[in-house]
Amino acid sequence: MVRRLLFWFHLIVGSVFGLFIAFMAGTGCILSFQRLSFDWAERGIQALPGTATHALPVEDLVRRAQMVEHTPPPSITISSEPFSPVVFHTGRFTVLYLNPYNGAVLGHGAVGVRNFFATVEGLHRWFGAYGRLRDPARSTKAAVNLGLLFLLLSGFVLWLPKKFTRKHLRPIVWPKRGPRGRAKNWNWHNSAGVWVALPLSIIVLTGAVLSYDWANNLLFRATGNIPSPPDHKFSSSGATRVLRGYTPWQPLIARVQMQVFGWRTITMDLPDDPRVAPAAAVVSFTIDRGNGGQVNKQSRLVLRQETGEVVEWIPFASENLGQRLRELARWTHTGESAGVAGQVVALLTSLGALLLVWTGLSLAMHRLFAWRARRKRAASPTKESVRASPEISAPIALRQPGGPT
C-alpha cells in the first residue's frame, strides 16, 4: 500500500514538474560548457609586447579602462601567461580586454557568445523573467528543484528490486534495444535513473543551497558554523561607482604575486566606497592556481591600500567547513569544480535528466490513455454483451387483452 501510494505521488509530481525539469536540464546542458566556450571564442585575443619590456602599472590600465567604459570597472584580472591580456570585468558577462604593455584596447571579447550565455543563464535561473517577475520565477524554480529531489528519492525506492541478483538487476540497469513502446520507456527510465541518480542528486542539492536561504543556512548550521550570506559581486541596482583617485596599486600587485607560488591569475577588486577614509581603505585580491572554477585552489588576500600591510590572508583550506562547502556548491552545480571531466559529467547528467522526463511523461501518457480506454469500454457495452442480454436481445411483444400468449 505504501509503495503504491509512493508511486502515485511520484507520477503526479513528475507529470506536474516534468516540462520544467526538462527546461532546466536543457539550459543546464548549455551552461555546463560556458567557461570553455568563452575561452574558445576568445582564443585569438593576445597581448603582444612589441617593443615594450615591462607591463604598464595597474593604475594606468585602470585609467584607460575608465576612459573606455566611462565608469570604473569593479575588478581587474591579470594572468601569469606572458601574452594574456588584462581583463576588466565590467559586468557578470561583459569584459574589456586591454594590452598590458601599451594599454591598447583589444575589444570586449566574443560579445555574441557572451550575450547568448547571459540569455541562457537568465532562462535557467528565472525562466527569462525580468523585474518583479523574477521573485516568483525564482520561487517556481526552487520548487521544481525540490520536486526533482523528491522524484530522485522516491524513484530510488520504487526502483529497488526484490532481490539483488543479476537476473533481477539486469532488466532495470542496462538499456535494451528490443522492447518497444511502454516496455522500452520503462526500461530506459529505470536504467537512466540508475546511472544519473548520484550526479543528479549532487546537482539538485547544490541547486537547493544556491536557491534557498534556509538551505544555505542549514548547510552552515549542520557544520557548526554561523550562516554567511552569498556574496554577489555584480549588483543590479545600477548604482554609480566612485573611484577615489588612482592609488599606486602596482606595489600591491607585486606583493600579491609573491604570496602564492604557481599562481595563474590574480583578480583585484577595485575599492570604490567613498565613505572609507583613505588610511583605512583596503584592497582585496583573489589568487587562483586553477581554472577559475576550482575554488579549492583559490585564496584571498586583503592588503592595506596605503601601506601594503596584510589585513587578512584566507587560503581556502583555512575557511570553515560551511563556507568551503558553500563555495564548492556554486561550481559543483555546473561541474566546473572538477575541471573538464566534471563538466562532461554535468552535461551527460543533464542529458540523462531529459531522457528521464521524456520516458516518464511517455509512461504517464500511456497510463492515461489506457485509463480512458477502460472507462470508455465500461460506459458503452460491447456488441457481445448486447447479444448476450435477454432483456435487450428479445423482441418486445405487444400483447392484446385476451390475445394469445
Side-chain angles (χ1 to χ4, degrees):
M1 178 64 182
V2 176
R3 189 182 181 90
R4 184 174 181 83
L5 185 63
L6 184 63
F7 166 78
W8 280 107
F9 274 114
H10 184 88
L11 178 64
I12 293 172
V13 173
S15 300
V16 172
F17 291 140
L19 293 180
F20 290 99
I21 294 173
F23 183 85
M24 292 169 59
T27 52
C29 287
I30 301 173
L31 293 175
S32 60
F33 282 90
Q34 171 181 296
R35 185 180 297 274
L36 291 178
S37 298
F38 290 163
D39 293 341
W40 179 85
E42 298 171 353
R43 66 191 183 281
I45 301 178
Q46 294 184 343
L48 300 179
T51 58
T53 58
H54 299 285
L56 295 175
V58 172
E59 50 272 16
D60 291 346
L61 297 174
V62 173
R63 184 182 294 106
R64 176 61 173 164
Q66 184 172 4
M67 291 175 58
V68 175
E69 297 293 328
H70 307 292
T71 183
S75 62
I76 173 178
T77 297
I78 63 174
S79 174
S80 60
E81 297 294 330
F83 300 121
S84 294
V86 171
V87 185
F88 286 90
H89 305 277
T90 57
R92 185 176 179 85
F93 286 92
T94 56
V95 295
L96 173 66
Y97 288 107
L98 292 185
N99 188 321
Y101 299 101
N102 55 23
V105 177
L106 302 178
H108 293 83
V111 178
V113 175
R114 290 181 173 274
N115 289 340
F116 169 75
F117 278 100
T119 301
V120 174
E121 183 176 280
L123 293 172
H124 185 77
R125 298 181 66 182
W126 310 292
F127 300 109
Y130 290 92
R132 297 180 179 179
L133 295 178
R134 279 192 173 181
D135 288 336
R138 187 184 291 109
S139 300
T140 302
K141 179 203 168 184
V144 172
N145 196 59
L146 290 182
L148 179 55
L149 179 60
F150 169 78
L151 291 175
L152 289 172
L153 296 176
S154 59
F156 176 76
V157 175
L158 296 172
W159 170 87
L160 288 175
K162 296 180 179 179
K163 297 181 180 180
F164 282 89
T165 62
R166 182 183 180 89
K167 178 181 179 181
H168 291 83
L169 288 174
R170 186 176 180 82
I172 54 177
V173 171
W174 300 104
K176 298 180 180 179
R177 294 184 179 182
R180 294 187 177 183
R182 181 176 179 273
K184 178 182 178 180
N185 290 328
W186 182 89
N187 172 247
W188 284 26
H189 191 76
N190 282 274
S191 57
V194 170
W195 291 106
V196 305
L198 180 59
L200 190 56
S201 298
I202 295 175
I203 292 176
V204 171
L205 291 175
T206 53
V209 171
L210 299 176
S211 301
Y212 285 111
D213 289 336
W214 63 262
N216 177 78
N217 297 339
L218 179 62
L219 176 66
F220 280 89
R221 293 194 178 99
T223 55
N225 299 285
I226 300 176
S228 175
D231 181 23
H232 300 286
K233 189 170 185 179
F234 298 104
S235 174
S236 59
S237 61
T240 302
R241 291 173 49 82
V242 178
L243 192 62
R244 184 177 29 225
Y246 295 94
T247 306
W249 292 307
Q250 193 61 38
L252 301 182
I253 293 290
R255 171 65 181 84
V256 175
Q257 291 174 342
M258 295 187 299
Q259 184 72 25
V260 176
F261 176 78
W263 63 273
R264 297 181 63 179
T265 61
I266 295 176
T267 299
M268 180 180 74
D269 296 332
L270 299 181
D272 63 343
D273 192 348
R275 297 170 299 178
V276 179
V282 297
V283 184
S284 178
F285 298 86
T286 300
I287 310 171
D288 194 346
R289 295 181 293 108
N291 62 2
Q294 299 169 294
V295 291
N296 59 311
K297 296 184 179 181
Q298 295 179 359
S299 305
R300 191 163 66 92
L301 179 65
V302 181
L303 300 179
R304 189 77 62 187
Q305 182 170 278
E306 286 192 350
T307 63
E309 175 190 356
V310 176
V311 178
E312 201 172 21
W313 165 240
I314 310 176
F316 178 78
S318 68
E319 296 184 287
N320 63 64
L321 181 58
Q323 187 64 38
R324 281 181 286 168
L325 292 177
R326 176 60 179 80
E327 293 176 5
L328 281 171
R330 160 63 184 89
W331 301 106
T332 303
H333 187 70
T334 56
E336 293 175 89
S337 59
V340 177
Q343 291 171 282
V344 172
V345 172
L347 172 64
L348 295 178
T349 301
S350 299
L351 293 176
L354 288 174
L355 180 60
L356 284 175
V357 172
W358 172 262
T359 54
L361 290 179
S362 297
L363 290 170
M365 295 301 296
H366 183 276
R367 181 174 290 272
L368 175 63
F369 292 151
W371 174 76
R372 292 182 60 181
R374 288 194 301 270
R375 290 203 54 174
K376 188 176 181 180
R377 287 195 300 268
S380 57
T382 60
K383 294 182 180 180
E384 289 76 8
S385 62
V386 171
R387 293 174 182 174
S389 176
E391 290 82 2
I392 300 178
S393 60
I396 299 177
L398 300 177
R399 300 181 182 180
Q400 299 294 333
T405 58

